[in-house]
Coordinates of all heavy atoms in Angstrom, one line a residue:
M29 N 0.9 -1.2 0.0 CA -0.1 0.0 0.0 C 0.9 1.2 0.0 O 1.8 1.4 0.9 CB -0.9 -0.1 1.3 CG -1.5 1.3 1.7 SD -2.3 1.4 3.2 CE -1.1 0.9 4.4
A30 N 0.6 2.2 -0.9 CA 1.4 3.4 -1.0 C 0.9 4.3 0.2 O -0.2 4.3 0.6 CB 1.2 4.0 -2.4
I31 N 2.0 5.1 0.6 CA 1.6 6.1 1.7 C 2.2 7.5 1.2 O 3.1 7.6 0.4 CB 2.3 5.6 3.0 CG1 3.9 5.6 2.9 CG2 1.7 4.4 3.5 CD1 4.6 5.7 4.2
V32 N 1.6 8.5 1.8 CA 1.9 9.9 1.7 C 2.5 10.3 3.1 O 1.8 10.1 4.1 CB 0.8 10.8 1.3 CG1 1.2 12.2 1.3 CG2 0.2 10.3 0.0
T33 N 3.6 10.9 3.2 CA 4.1 11.5 4.4 C 4.2 13.0 4.2 O 4.6 13.6 3.2 CB 5.5 11.0 4.7 OG1 6.5 11.3 3.7 CG2 5.4 9.4 5.0
I34 N 3.9 13.8 5.3 CA 4.0 15.2 5.3 C 4.8 15.4 6.6 O 4.4 15.0 7.7 CB 2.6 16.0 5.3 CG1 1.9 15.5 4.0 CG2 2.9 17.4 5.4 CD1 0.4 16.0 4.0
Q35 N 5.9 16.2 6.6 CA 6.7 16.5 7.6 C 7.2 17.9 7.6 O 7.8 18.3 6.7 CB 7.9 15.5 7.7 CG 8.7 15.8 9.0 CD 9.6 14.5 9.3 OE1 10.2 13.9 8.4 NE2 9.8 14.1 10.5
T36 N 7.0 18.6 8.7 CA 7.6 20.0 9.0 C 9.1 19.7 9.5 O 9.3 19.1 10.3 CB 6.8 20.8 10.0 OG1 5.5 20.8 9.5 CG2 7.3 22.2 10.1
L37 N 10.1 20.3 8.6 CA 11.4 20.2 9.1 C 11.8 21.1 10.1 O 11.0 22.0 10.5 CB 12.3 20.6 7.7 CG 12.0 19.9 6.5 CD1 12.9 20.2 5.4 CD2 12.1 18.3 6.7
P38 N 12.9 20.8 10.8 CA 13.3 21.6 12.0 C 13.4 23.0 11.8 O 13.8 23.4 10.8 CB 14.6 21.0 12.3 CG 14.7 19.7 11.8 CD 13.9 19.8 10.5
E39 N 12.9 23.8 12.8 CA 13.1 25.2 12.8 C 14.5 25.5 12.5 O 15.5 24.9 13.1 CB 12.6 25.8 14.1 CG 12.3 27.3 13.9 CD 11.6 27.8 15.1 OE1 10.9 27.1 15.8 OE2 11.6 29.0 15.4
G40 N 14.8 26.6 11.7 CA 16.2 27.0 11.4 C 16.8 26.2 10.1 O 17.9 26.6 9.7
S41 N 16.0 25.3 9.6 CA 16.4 24.6 8.4 C 16.6 25.7 7.2 O 15.6 26.6 7.1 CB 15.4 23.6 8.0 OG 15.5 22.4 8.9
T42 N 17.6 25.7 6.4 CA 17.7 26.6 5.4 C 17.7 25.8 4.0 O 17.9 24.6 3.9 CB 19.0 27.3 5.4 OG1 20.2 26.3 5.2 CG2 19.2 28.0 6.8
K43 N 17.5 26.7 2.8 CA 17.6 26.0 1.6 C 18.9 25.3 1.3 O 18.9 24.2 0.7 CB 17.2 27.0 0.5 CG 15.8 27.5 0.5 CD 15.7 28.6 -0.6 CE 14.2 29.1 -0.6 NZ 14.0 30.1 -1.7
E44 N 20.0 26.0 1.8 CA 21.2 25.4 1.6 C 21.5 24.1 2.4 O 22.1 23.1 1.7 CB 22.3 26.4 2.1 CG 22.4 27.8 1.2 CD 21.3 28.7 1.5 OE1 20.7 28.6 2.6 OE2 21.0 29.6 0.6
N45 N 20.9 24.0 3.6 CA 21.2 22.7 4.3 C 20.3 21.7 3.7 O 20.7 20.5 3.6 CB 20.6 23.0 5.7 CG 21.5 23.9 6.6 OD1 21.0 24.8 7.3 ND2 22.9 23.8 6.4
I46 N 19.1 22.0 3.3 CA 18.3 21.0 2.6 C 18.9 20.6 1.4 O 18.9 19.4 1.0 CB 16.9 21.7 2.4 CG1 16.1 22.0 3.6 CG2 16.1 20.7 1.4 CD1 14.9 22.7 3.6
A47 N 19.4 21.5 0.5 CA 20.2 21.0 -0.7 C 21.4 20.1 -0.4 O 21.6 19.2 -1.1 CB 20.6 22.2 -1.4
A48 N 22.1 20.4 0.7 CA 23.3 19.6 1.0 C 22.8 18.2 1.4 O 23.4 17.2 1.0 CB 24.1 20.3 2.0
V49 N 21.7 18.1 2.2 CA 21.2 16.7 2.6 C 20.7 16.0 1.3 O 21.0 14.8 1.3 CB 20.1 16.9 3.7 CG1 19.5 15.6 3.9 CG2 20.8 17.5 5.0
S50 N 20.0 16.7 0.6 CA 19.5 16.0 -0.6 C 20.5 15.6 -1.6 O 20.5 14.4 -2.0 CB 18.5 17.1 -1.5 OG 17.4 17.3 -0.7
A51 N 21.6 16.3 -1.7 CA 22.8 15.9 -2.4 C 23.4 14.7 -1.9 O 23.7 13.7 -2.6 CB 23.8 16.9 -2.6
A52 N 23.5 14.6 -0.6 CA 24.2 13.4 0.2 C 23.2 12.2 -0.1 O 23.8 11.1 -0.3 CB 24.4 13.8 1.6
I53 N 21.9 12.3 0.0 CA 21.1 11.2 -0.3 C 21.2 10.8 -1.6 O 21.4 9.6 -2.0 CB 19.6 11.7 0.1 CG1 19.4 11.8 1.6 CG2 18.6 10.6 -0.5 CD1 18.1 12.5 2.1
M54 N 21.1 11.7 -2.6 CA 21.1 11.2 -4.0 C 22.3 10.7 -4.5 O 22.5 10.1 -5.6 CB 20.7 12.4 -4.8 CG 19.2 12.8 -4.7 SD 18.1 11.4 -4.7 CE 18.1 11.0 -6.5
A55 N 23.4 10.8 -3.7 CA 24.8 10.3 -4.1 C 24.7 8.9 -4.2 O 25.5 8.2 -4.9 CB 25.9 10.7 -3.1
G56 N 23.8 8.3 -3.4 CA 23.5 6.9 -3.5 C 22.4 6.4 -4.5 O 22.0 5.3 -4.4
G57 N 22.0 7.3 -5.3 CA 21.0 7.0 -6.4 C 19.6 7.2 -5.7 O 19.4 7.7 -4.5
N58 N 18.5 7.0 -6.5 CA 17.3 7.2 -6.1 C 16.8 6.2 -5.0 O 17.2 5.1 -5.0 CB 16.2 7.0 -7.2 CG 16.3 8.1 -8.2 OD1 16.6 9.2 -7.9 ND2 15.9 7.8 -9.5
P59 N 16.3 6.8 -3.8 CA 16.0 5.9 -2.7 C 14.9 4.8 -3.2 O 13.9 5.2 -4.0 CB 15.4 6.8 -1.8 CG 15.8 8.2 -2.0 CD 15.9 8.2 -3.7
A60 N 15.1 3.6 -2.8 CA 14.2 2.6 -3.2 C 12.8 2.8 -2.6 O 12.6 3.1 -1.3 CB 14.7 1.2 -2.7
G61 N 11.8 2.6 -3.4 CA 10.4 2.8 -3.0 C 9.9 4.3 -3.0 O 8.7 4.5 -2.7
A62 N 10.7 5.3 -3.3 CA 10.3 6.6 -3.4 C 9.5 6.9 -4.7 O 10.1 6.6 -5.7 CB 11.5 7.6 -3.3
L63 N 8.4 7.4 -4.6 CA 7.5 7.7 -5.9 C 7.5 9.1 -6.2 O 7.4 9.5 -7.3 CB 6.1 7.1 -5.7 CG 6.0 5.6 -5.4 CD1 4.6 5.3 -5.2 CD2 6.7 4.9 -6.5
S64 N 7.5 10.0 -5.1 CA 7.4 11.4 -5.3 C 8.0 12.1 -4.0 O 8.0 11.7 -2.9 CB 6.0 11.9 -5.6 OG 5.9 13.2 -5.7
H65 N 8.7 13.3 -4.3 CA 9.2 14.0 -3.3 C 9.2 15.6 -3.7 O 9.6 16.0 -4.8 CB 10.7 13.7 -3.1 CG 11.4 14.6 -2.2 ND1 11.3 14.6 -0.8 CD2 12.4 15.3 -2.4 CE1 12.1 15.5 -0.2 NE2 12.8 16.0 -1.1
V66 N 8.8 16.4 -2.7 CA 8.8 17.8 -2.9 C 9.0 18.5 -1.5 O 8.4 18.0 -0.5 CB 7.4 18.3 -3.6 CG1 6.3 18.2 -2.8 CG2 7.6 19.8 -4.0
I67 N 9.7 19.6 -1.5 CA 9.8 20.5 -0.2 C 9.4 21.8 -0.7 O 9.7 22.3 -1.7 CB 11.2 20.5 0.2 CG1 11.7 19.1 0.7 CG2 11.4 21.5 1.3 CD1 13.1 19.1 1.3
Y68 N 8.6 22.5 0.2 CA 8.1 23.7 0.1 C 8.1 24.5 1.3 O 8.3 23.9 2.4 CB 6.6 23.7 -0.6 CG 5.6 23.1 0.4 CD1 4.8 24.0 1.2 CD2 5.4 21.9 0.5 CE1 3.8 23.5 2.0 CE2 4.4 21.3 1.3 CZ 3.7 22.1 2.1 OH 2.9 21.6 3.0
E69 N 8.0 25.8 1.2 CA 8.0 26.7 2.5 C 6.6 27.1 2.8 O 5.8 27.6 1.8 CB 9.0 27.8 2.2 CG 9.2 28.7 3.4 CD 10.3 29.8 3.2 OE1 10.7 29.9 2.1 OE2 10.4 30.5 4.2
D70 N 6.3 27.1 4.0 CA 4.9 27.5 4.5 C 5.2 28.2 5.8 O 5.6 27.7 6.8 CB 4.1 26.2 4.7 CG 2.7 26.5 5.1 OD1 2.2 27.7 4.8 OD2 2.0 25.8 5.7
G71 N 4.8 29.5 5.8 CA 4.9 30.2 7.0 C 6.2 30.2 7.8 O 6.3 30.3 9.0
G72 N 7.3 30.2 6.8 CA 8.7 30.4 7.4 C 9.3 29.0 7.8 O 10.4 29.0 8.2
R73 N 8.5 28.0 7.5 CA 9.1 26.6 7.8 C 9.0 25.8 6.5 O 8.1 25.9 5.8 CB 8.2 25.9 9.0 CG 8.2 26.4 10.3 CD 9.4 26.1 11.1 NE 9.6 24.8 11.4 CZ 9.1 24.1 12.6 NH1 8.3 24.7 13.4 NH2 9.5 22.9 12.6
F74 N 10.0 24.9 6.3 CA 9.9 24.0 5.2 C 9.3 22.7 5.5 O 9.4 22.3 6.7 CB 11.5 23.7 4.8 CG 12.1 24.8 4.2 CD1 13.0 25.6 5.0 CD2 11.9 25.3 2.8 CE1 13.6 26.7 4.4 CE2 12.5 26.4 2.4 CZ 13.5 27.1 3.2
K75 N 8.5 22.2 4.6 CA 7.7 21.0 4.7 C 8.1 20.0 3.5 O 8.4 20.4 2.4 CB 6.2 21.3 4.7 CG 5.9 22.1 5.9 CD 4.3 22.3 6.0 CE 4.0 23.1 7.2 NZ 2.5 23.2 7.4
S76 N 8.2 18.7 3.9 CA 8.4 17.8 2.9 C 7.2 17.0 2.7 O 6.5 16.5 3.7 CB 9.6 16.9 3.5 OG 9.8 15.7 2.7
V77 N 6.9 16.6 1.5 CA 5.7 15.8 1.1 C 6.2 14.7 0.2 O 6.9 15.0 -0.8 CB 4.6 16.5 0.3 CG1 3.5 15.6 0.0 CG2 4.1 17.7 1.2
D78 N 6.0 13.4 0.6 CA 6.6 12.2 -0.1 C 5.6 11.3 -0.2 O 4.6 11.1 0.5 CB 7.7 11.7 0.7 CG 9.0 12.7 0.8 OD1 9.6 13.0 -0.2 OD2 9.1 13.1 1.9
V79 N 5.7 10.6 -1.4 CA 4.9 9.4 -1.7 C 5.7 8.1 -1.8 O 6.8 8.3 -2.5 CB 4.0 9.5 -3.0 CG1 3.1 8.2 -3.2 CG2 3.1 10.6 -2.9
W80 N 5.5 7.1 -1.0 CA 6.3 5.9 -0.9 C 5.5 4.7 -1.3 O 4.3 4.7 -1.1 CB 6.8 5.8 0.5 CG 7.8 6.9 0.9 CD1 7.4 8.0 1.5 CD2 9.2 6.8 0.6 NE1 8.7 8.8 1.6 CE2 9.7 8.0 1.2 CE3 10.1 5.9 0.2 CZ2 11.0 8.4 1.1 CZ3 11.4 6.3 0.0 CH2 11.9 7.5 0.5
E81 N 6.1 3.7 -1.9 CA 5.6 2.5 -2.2 C 4.8 1.8 -0.9 O 3.9 1.0 -1.0 CB 6.5 1.6 -2.9 CG 6.9 1.9 -4.2 CD 7.9 1.0 -4.8 OE1 8.4 0.0 -4.2 OE2 8.2 1.2 -6.1
S82 N 5.4 2.0 0.1 CA 5.1 1.3 1.4 C 5.6 2.0 2.6 O 6.6 2.8 2.5 CB 5.5 -0.1 1.4 OG 6.9 -0.3 1.5
E83 N 5.1 1.8 3.7 CA 5.7 2.3 5.1 C 7.0 1.7 5.3 O 7.9 2.4 5.8 CB 4.6 2.0 6.2 CG 5.1 2.7 7.5 CD 4.0 2.6 8.5 OE1 2.9 2.2 8.3 OE2 4.3 3.0 9.8
A84 N 7.2 0.5 4.9 CA 8.5 -0.1 5.0 C 9.6 0.6 4.2 O 10.6 0.7 4.8 CB 8.5 -1.6 4.8
A85 N 9.2 0.9 3.1 CA 10.2 1.6 2.2 C 10.6 3.0 2.8 O 11.8 3.4 2.9 CB 9.7 1.9 0.8
Y86 N 9.6 3.6 3.3 CA 9.8 4.9 3.9 C 10.7 4.8 5.3 O 11.7 5.5 5.5 CB 8.5 5.6 4.4 CG 8.5 6.8 5.5 CD1 8.9 8.0 5.0 CD2 8.3 6.5 6.7 CE1 9.0 9.1 5.8 CE2 8.4 7.6 7.7 CZ 8.8 8.9 7.3 OH 8.9 10.0 8.0
N87 N 10.4 3.8 6.1 CA 11.2 3.6 7.4 C 12.6 3.2 7.0 O 13.5 3.6 7.7 CB 10.5 2.6 8.2 CG 9.2 3.0 8.9 OD1 9.0 4.1 9.0 ND2 8.2 1.9 9.1
S88 N 12.8 2.4 6.0 CA 14.1 2.1 5.5 C 14.9 3.2 5.1 O 16.0 3.5 5.4 CB 14.0 1.0 4.4 OG 15.3 0.6 4.1
F89 N 14.3 4.2 4.3 CA 14.9 5.4 3.8 C 15.3 6.4 5.0 O 16.4 6.8 5.0 CB 13.9 6.2 2.9 CG 14.4 7.5 2.7 CD1 15.4 7.8 1.9 CD2 13.7 8.6 3.3 CE1 15.8 9.2 1.6 CE2 14.1 9.9 3.1 CZ 15.2 10.2 2.1
I90 N 14.4 6.4 5.9 CA 14.8 7.3 7.2 C 16.0 6.6 7.9 O 17.0 7.5 8.1 CB 13.6 7.3 8.2 CG1 12.5 8.0 7.6 CG2 14.0 8.0 9.4 CD1 12.6 9.4 7.1
Q91 N 15.9 5.5 8.1 CA 17.1 4.8 8.9 C 18.4 4.7 8.1 O 19.4 5.0 8.5 CB 16.6 3.4 9.3 CG 17.7 2.6 10.2 CD 17.9 3.3 11.5 OE1 17.0 3.9 12.1 NE2 19.1 3.2 12.0
D92 N 18.4 4.3 6.8 CA 19.5 4.0 6.1 C 20.0 5.1 5.2 O 21.3 5.1 4.8 CB 19.1 2.7 5.0 CG 18.8 1.6 5.9 OD1 19.3 1.5 7.0 OD2 18.2 0.7 5.2
R93 N 19.2 6.1 4.9 CA 19.7 7.1 4.0 C 19.5 8.6 4.6 O 20.6 9.4 4.5 CB 18.8 7.1 2.7 CG 18.9 5.8 1.9 CD 20.1 5.6 1.0 NE 20.3 6.5 -0.1 CZ 19.8 6.5 -1.2 NH1 19.1 5.3 -1.6 NH2 20.0 7.3 -2.3
L94 N 18.4 9.0 5.1 CA 18.1 10.3 5.6 C 19.0 10.6 6.9 O 19.8 11.6 6.8 CB 16.7 10.5 5.9 CG 16.3 12.0 6.3 CD1 16.7 13.0 5.3 CD2 14.8 12.0 6.7
R95 N 19.0 9.8 7.9 CA 19.6 10.0 9.1 C 21.1 10.2 8.9 O 21.7 11.1 9.2 CB 19.2 9.2 10.2 CG 17.9 9.3 10.8 CD 17.6 8.5 12.0 NE 16.3 8.7 12.4 CZ 15.5 7.7 12.9 NH1 15.8 6.5 12.9 NH2 14.2 8.0 13.3
P96 N 21.8 9.1 8.1 CA 23.2 9.3 7.8 C 23.5 10.6 7.0 O 24.5 11.2 7.3 CB 23.5 8.1 7.0 CG 22.4 7.0 7.5 CD 21.2 7.8 7.7
A97 N 22.6 11.0 6.1 CA 22.9 12.2 5.4 C 22.9 13.5 6.3 O 23.6 14.3 6.2 CB 21.9 12.2 4.2
I98 N 21.9 13.6 7.1 CA 21.8 14.7 8.0 C 22.9 14.7 8.9 O 23.6 15.8 9.1 CB 20.5 14.6 8.9 CG1 19.3 14.7 8.0 CG2 20.5 15.5 10.0 CD1 17.9 14.5 8.6
M99 N 23.4 13.5 9.4 CA 24.6 13.5 10.3 C 25.9 14.0 9.5 O 26.7 14.8 9.9 CB 24.8 12.1 10.8 CG 23.8 11.7 11.8 SD 23.8 12.7 13.2 CE 22.8 11.7 14.3
Q100 N 26.0 13.6 8.3 CA 27.2 13.9 7.5 C 27.2 15.4 7.2 O 28.2 16.0 7.4 CB 27.1 13.1 6.2 CG 28.2 13.5 5.1 CD 27.9 13.0 3.7 OE1 27.2 11.9 3.5 NE2 28.5 13.5 2.7
V101 N 26.2 16.0 6.8 CA 26.0 17.5 6.6 C 26.3 18.2 7.8 O 27.0 19.3 7.8 CB 24.7 17.8 5.8 CG1 24.5 19.3 5.8 CG2 24.6 17.1 4.6
A102 N 25.7 17.8 9.0 CA 25.7 18.4 10.2 C 27.2 18.6 10.5 O 27.8 19.6 10.9 CB 24.9 17.9 11.4
Q103 N 27.9 17.5 10.5 CA 29.3 17.4 10.8 C 30.2 18.2 9.9 O 31.2 18.9 10.3 CB 29.7 15.9 10.9 CG 29.1 15.2 12.1 CD 29.5 13.7 12.1 OE1 29.8 13.2 11.1 NE2 29.2 13.1 13.3
S104 N 29.9 18.2 8.6 CA 30.6 19.0 7.7 C 30.5 20.5 7.9 O 31.4 21.3 7.6 CB 30.2 18.7 6.3 OG 28.9 19.2 6.0
L105 N 29.3 21.0 8.6 CA 29.2 22.3 9.0 C 29.6 22.6 10.3 O 29.5 23.7 10.8 CB 27.6 22.7 8.9 CG 27.1 22.5 7.4 CD1 25.6 22.7 7.5 CD2 27.8 23.6 6.5
G106 N 30.3 21.7 11.1 CA 30.6 21.9 12.4 C 29.7 21.9 13.5 O 29.8 22.4 14.5
M107 N 28.6 21.3 13.0 CA 27.4 21.2 14.0 C 27.5 19.9 14.9 O 27.9 18.9 14.3 CB 26.1 21.3 13.3 CG 25.8 22.5 12.5 SD 24.5 22.5 11.4 CE 23.1 22.6 12.6
D108 N 27.1 20.0 16.1 CA 26.9 18.7 16.9 C 25.6 18.2 16.6 O 24.6 18.7 17.0 CB 27.1 19.2 18.3 CG 27.0 18.0 19.3 OD1 26.7 16.8 18.7 OD2 27.1 18.2 20.4
P109 N 25.4 17.1 16.0 CA 24.1 16.4 15.6 C 23.2 16.2 16.8 O 22.1 16.3 16.6 CB 24.5 15.2 15.0 CG 25.9 15.4 14.3 CD 26.6 16.3 15.4
S110 N 23.9 15.8 17.9 CA 23.0 15.7 19.1 C 22.3 16.9 19.6 O 21.3 16.8 20.4 CB 23.9 15.0 20.2 OG 24.8 15.9 20.8
Q111 N 22.8 18.2 19.3 CA 22.2 19.4 19.6 C 21.3 20.0 18.6 O 20.8 21.0 18.8 CB 23.2 20.4 19.8 CG 24.3 20.0 20.9 CD 23.6 19.8 22.3 OE1 22.9 20.7 22.7 NE2 23.9 18.7 23.0
M112 N 21.1 19.3 17.5 CA 20.2 19.7 16.4 C 18.8 19.7 16.7 O 18.4 18.7 17.4 CB 20.5 19.0 15.2 CG 21.8 19.2 14.5 SD 22.2 18.3 13.1 CE 20.9 18.6 12.1
P113 N 17.9 20.6 16.4 CA 16.5 20.4 16.7 C 15.8 19.2 15.8 O 16.3 19.0 14.7 CB 15.9 21.8 16.3 CG 16.9 22.4 15.3 CD 18.1 21.8 15.7
A114 N 15.0 18.7 16.4 CA 14.3 17.5 15.8 C 13.2 18.0 14.9 O 12.6 19.1 15.1 CB 13.7 16.5 16.7
A115 N 12.9 17.2 13.9 CA 11.8 17.5 12.9 C 10.5 17.2 13.6 O 10.6 16.3 14.6 CB 11.9 16.8 11.7
D116 N 9.3 17.8 13.2 CA 8.1 17.4 13.7 C 7.9 15.9 13.4 O 8.3 15.5 12.3 CB 7.0 18.4 13.4 CG 7.0 19.8 13.8 OD1 8.0 20.0 14.7 OD2 6.3 20.6 13.4
P117 N 7.1 15.2 14.2 CA 6.7 13.8 13.7 C 5.9 13.9 12.4 O 5.1 14.8 12.1 CB 5.8 13.4 14.8 CG 6.2 14.2 16.0 CD 6.6 15.4 15.5
P118 N 6.2 13.0 11.5 CA 5.6 13.0 10.2 C 4.1 12.6 10.3 O 3.7 11.9 11.2 CB 6.3 11.9 9.4 CG 6.9 11.1 10.4 CD 7.1 11.9 11.6
Q119 N 3.2 13.2 9.5 CA 2.0 12.8 9.4 C 1.9 11.7 8.2 O 2.8 11.8 7.2 CB 1.0 13.9 8.8 CG 0.9 15.0 9.7 CD 0.0 16.1 9.2 OE1 0.5 16.9 8.4 NE2 -1.2 16.3 9.7
M120 N 1.2 10.7 8.4 CA 1.3 9.6 7.3 C -0.2 9.2 6.9 O -1.0 9.0 7.8 CB 2.0 8.4 7.9 CG 2.4 7.4 6.9 SD 3.4 5.9 7.6 CE 4.9 6.9 8.3
F121 N -0.3 9.0 5.7 CA -1.7 8.7 5.1 C -1.6 7.6 4.1 O -0.6 7.6 3.4 CB -2.3 10.0 4.4 CG -2.4 11.1 5.3 CD1 -1.3 12.1 5.2 CD2 -3.4 11.4 6.2 CE1 -1.3 13.2 6.1 CE2 -3.4 12.6 6.9 CZ -2.4 13.5 7.0
E122 N -2.6 6.8 4.0 CA -2.6 5.8 2.9 C -3.0 6.5 1.7 O -4.0 7.5 1.6 CB -3.8 4.8 3.3 CG -4.0 3.8 2.2 CD -5.1 2.8 2.4 OE1 -5.5 2.7 3.6 OE2 -5.4 2.0 1.6
A123 N -2.3 6.4 0.6 CA -2.5 6.8 -0.6 C -3.7 6.1 -1.3 O -3.6 4.9 -1.5 CB -1.2 6.9 -1.5
I124 N -4.7 6.8 -1.7 CA -5.8 6.2 -2.4 C -5.8 6.0 -3.9 O -6.0 5.0 -4.5 CB -7.1 7.1 -2.0 CG1 -7.4 7.1 -0.5 CG2 -8.3 6.5 -2.8 CD1 -8.5 8.0 -0.2
E125 N -5.0 7.0 -4.5 CA -4.9 7.0 -5.9 C -3.5 7.6 -6.3 O -3.0 8.4 -5.7 CB -6.0 7.8 -6.6 CG -5.8 7.6 -8.2 CD -7.1 8.3 -8.8 OE1 -8.2 8.4 -8.2 OE2 -7.0 8.7 -9.9
N126 N -2.9 7.0 -7.3 CA -1.6 7.4 -7.9 C -1.6 7.2 -9.3 O -2.0 6.2 -9.9 CB -0.5 6.6 -7.2 CG 0.8 7.1 -7.6 OD1 1.1 8.3 -7.8 ND2 1.9 6.2 -7.6
F127 N -1.2 8.3 -10.0 CA -1.0 8.2 -11.5 C 0.0 7.1 -11.9 O 1.1 7.0 -11.1 CB -0.7 9.5 -12.2 CG -1.8 10.5 -12.1 CD1 -1.7 11.6 -11.3 CD2 -3.0 10.4 -12.8 CE1 -2.8 12.5 -11.3 CE2 -3.9 11.3 -12.7 CZ -3.8 12.3 -11.8
P128 N -0.3 6.3 -12.8 CA 0.9 5.3 -13.2 C 2.1 6.0 -13.7 O 2.1 7.0 -14.2 CB 0.2 4.5 -14.4 CG -1.0 5.3 -14.7 CD -1.4 6.2 -13.6
G129 N 3.3 5.5 -13.2 CA 4.6 6.1 -13.7 C 5.3 5.5 -14.9 O 5.0 4.7 -15.4

């Protein structure tokens, strides 16, 4: 079952930090199970909206690709990853319809 996730990124996130994390993720190729990804700004905060083939694919991406990429970028910027603000918990919804790709 495909899912949609919506997540508000941590306060203080910048376009540059987001681009650096995205570049680190994409260095490993397209994430398995990712169907769609977009980030937009709303009220001064960035939000991520993704469509995944399954909740398992999403969870694997978070553990194996996103968290390591965030750590890598944070360390390259001289930031202590343990002191970074956390993102809001994601909202997750069952996708009812998806255009064929």
Side-chain angles (χ1 to χ4, degrees):
M29 158 187 63
I31 63 163
V32 177
T33 62
I34 303 171
Q35 187 165 31
T36 302
L37 303 184
E39 196 165 335
S41 295
T42 66
K43 288 180 184 179
E44 294 78 17
N45 297 133
I46 293 166
V49 170
S50 292
I53 290 168
M54 294 309 293
N58 288 332
L63 300 176
S64 177
H65 169 73
V66 66
I67 293 181
Y68 65 97
E69 189 173 358
D70 178 30
R73 297 278 302 270
F74 291 99
K75 296 185 178 186
S76 173
V77 178
D78 298 288
V79 181
W80 293 91
E81 289 178 352
S82 66
E83 187 173 349
Y86 168 76
N87 290 333
S88 178
F89 167 75
I90 296 298
Q91 184 67 32
D92 300 337
R93 302 280 293 273
L94 181 61
R95 286 186 181 142
I98 291 170
M99 295 298 201
Q100 175 187 339
V101 169
Q103 290 172 342
S104 74
L105 296 172
M107 300 169 73
D108 178 356
S110 69
Q111 300 300 313
M112 293 174 52
D116 292 354
Q119 296 176 289
M120 194 174 298
F121 306 93
E122 179 180 347
I124 296 170
E125 186 172 330
N126 185 33
F127 290 111

